[in-house]
Amino acid sequence: IIFWFFFSTSSLSTADEGLIENSIAVFSFEDLSTGDNQSYGEILQHLIISDLTGLKHLEVISQQRLQDIQKQSREGIENYTIAQQANAKVLLGGTIMDRDNGQKILIGNLIDAINGNQIISHRIEGIDIFPMVDELTENIRKDLGISTHKDDQIALQAGTKTSQSLDAYDKYLEGLKKFNEINFKLANAK
């Protein structure tokens, strides 16, 4: 498997000069259980970014930077194109869905930002989203060949870095969205 992975990700080693070595852009996950990719999907994006940012040898493109690029680009632009413009080598996206038994299925897709090809996919099942995020970020760390270092902060569980209430986190993101919609220039002019 290691032999296959090394050769299947060879495009990562021939990245354009502008791309940042060991860099990732994490996009909102699609919430297939409700069809609303702004709730759990955006929460997952923030939790994963928070987890991966703890790795000292991985550059994680901020969610704000990805949004800025998307706003400046045409409608319907593909995530891998946004990741390229952010100088990321790979991107992470995926889906989350409910099972009949109360469990959730989290699927994370690691994608080559240069050509848009999928590198690897991880399927994680569980009831609590926080340990599922921790498992996914550990898998991504291994997939990218990022070794752990004593300065890394990834050992902290996702639930300890933020509220353990998904409702509270959803309200936080709703407030953040409203805050970002404020037109400060117009407000200052009046």
Side-chain angles (χ1 to χ4, degrees), residues 148-167:
T148 55
H149 295 83
K150 65 179 181 171
D151 296 335
D152 288 345
Q153 299 292 322
I154 199 166
L156 294 174
Q157 296 177 340
T160 63
K161 294 180 183 180
T162 185
S163 169
Q164 291 193 18
S165 166
L166 291 177
D167 289 335

Side-chain angles (χ1 to χ4, degrees), residues 4 14 16 20 30 61 65 80 86 91 105 108 114 124 149 160 173 186:
W4 170 83
T14 60
D16 295 337
I20 302 168
E30 185 177 4
I61 309 300
R65 174 74 177 126
Y80 77 92
L91 68 99
I105 300 172
I114 297 167
I124 300 164
H149 295 83
T160 63
L173 291 177
L186 181 62

